[in-house]
Amino acid sequence: MVLVDDHRMFRTGVQAEIGRTEQTGVEVVGEAADVDQAVTVITATRPEVVLLDVHLPGGGGVEVLRRCAPLMAAAENPVRFLALSVSDAAEDVIGVIRGGARGYVTKTITGTDLVDSIFRVQDGDAVFSPRLAGFVLDAFASSDAPPVDEDMDRLTQREREVLRLIARGYAYKEIAKQLFISVKTVESHVSAVLRKLQLSNRHELTRWATARRLV
């Protein structure tokens, strides 16, 4: 398995939880912290499963999936992807599933359930945290493609995540803690979102997000 996440401490924690090969049967053969590293490591190791964070420097998990599409489509020993993210937003779930991931679980999952999910994805099953399965069913049951939101397309994956938490009323310190980033980084993301969306303050931002049902 290859572990892709931009937070070193989180990767270390996952390694400690599931990387005990003799107990779990899971062998971590590589790690990566951004899109370029991920593509390089995955191409070199050809793991059976990649545990993939949705929000990564360099274009996010969707970009990793796009660049690894030939490996997923291989007739023999295809590489399969399981998304693991703090985000439970419908657009994140649907985006990586459309990109080719076999499942999506949130970081609240237990180590035991995560190991089980890895082996299920390895066997070709689709795996989702319970409430996320509904997003996928609704999206693929609809014959209409979702409308393109040019404003949202201006935002990076991380900016969308910060936007959603701001709109839900989280304080900067709470967002920093939840996303494993600094308060200063949160402030930078909020400033970037306000600038790109041409909004003046977090109250306008909340109204904007609520109108798009992002809260």
Side-chain angles (χ1 to χ4, degrees), residues 31-88:
E31 296 183 19
D34 59 35
V35 170
D36 288 340
Q37 288 179 12
V39 174
T40 298
V41 172
I42 293 165
T43 302
T45 60
R46 296 293 293 265
E48 293 178 284
V49 177
V50 176
L51 202 55
L52 179 68
D53 191 12
V54 174
H55 304 295
L56 294 167
V62 172
E63 178 64 12
V64 175
L65 292 165
R66 185 187 70 79
R67 291 169 60 177
C68 290
L71 300 179
M72 288 189 283
E76 295 185 8
N77 303 318
V79 176
R80 295 188 170 103
F81 287 79
L82 173 61
L84 175 65
S85 177
V86 70
S87 171
D88 61 359

Side-chain angles (χ1 to χ4, degrees), residues 39-209:
V39 174
T40 298
V41 172
I42 293 165
T43 302
T45 60
R46 296 293 293 265
E48 293 178 284
V49 177
V50 176
L51 202 55
L52 179 68
D53 191 12
V54 174
H55 304 295
L56 294 167
V62 172
E63 178 64 12
V64 175
L65 292 165
R66 185 187 70 79
R67 291 169 60 177
C68 290
L71 300 179
M72 288 189 283
E76 295 185 8
N77 303 318
V79 176
R80 295 188 170 103
F81 287 79
L82 173 61
L84 175 65
S85 177
V86 70
S87 171
D88 61 359
E91 65 266 27
D92 287 337
V93 179
I94 294 166
V96 295
I97 297 304
R98 283 181 170 158
R102 296 292 303 173
Y104 193 117
V105 294
T106 60
K107 290 182 177 179
T108 57
I109 193 170
T110 66
T112 299
D113 288 342
L114 182 56
V115 169
D116 179 65
S117 297
I118 291 169
F119 281 112
R120 287 174 60 190
V121 167
Q122 178 183 324
D123 291 339
D125 291 343
V127 180
F128 299 95
S129 292
R131 72 180 293 268
L132 306 186
F135 296 154
V136 180
L137 292 173
D138 291 345
F140 288 92
S142 173
S143 59
D144 298 324
V148 175
D149 189 328
E150 293 183 359
D151 288 332
M152 282 293 289
D153 285 346
R154 295 190 186 101
L155 306 181
T156 66
Q157 290 286 350
R158 181 65 84 190
E159 287 167 354
R160 294 181 191 188
E161 196 167 55
V162 170
L163 160 66
R164 192 174 300 107
L165 293 174
I166 283 287
R168 289 176 179 174
Y170 283 74
Y172 286 5
K173 288 183 178 179
E174 295 172 322
I175 296 172
K177 183 177 180 180
Q178 184 161 339
L179 300 183
F180 302 99
I181 57 179
S182 69
V183 173
K184 185 175 182 180
T185 300
V186 174
E187 293 173 348
S188 297
H189 285 313
V190 172
S191 296
V193 170
L194 292 174
R195 183 181 69 254
K196 291 180 180 180
L197 299 182
Q198 297 183 341
L199 301 174
S200 300
N201 53 56
R202 65 180 296 165
H203 299 295
E204 290 184 3
L205 188 153
T206 299
R207 288 197 296 270
W208 187 94

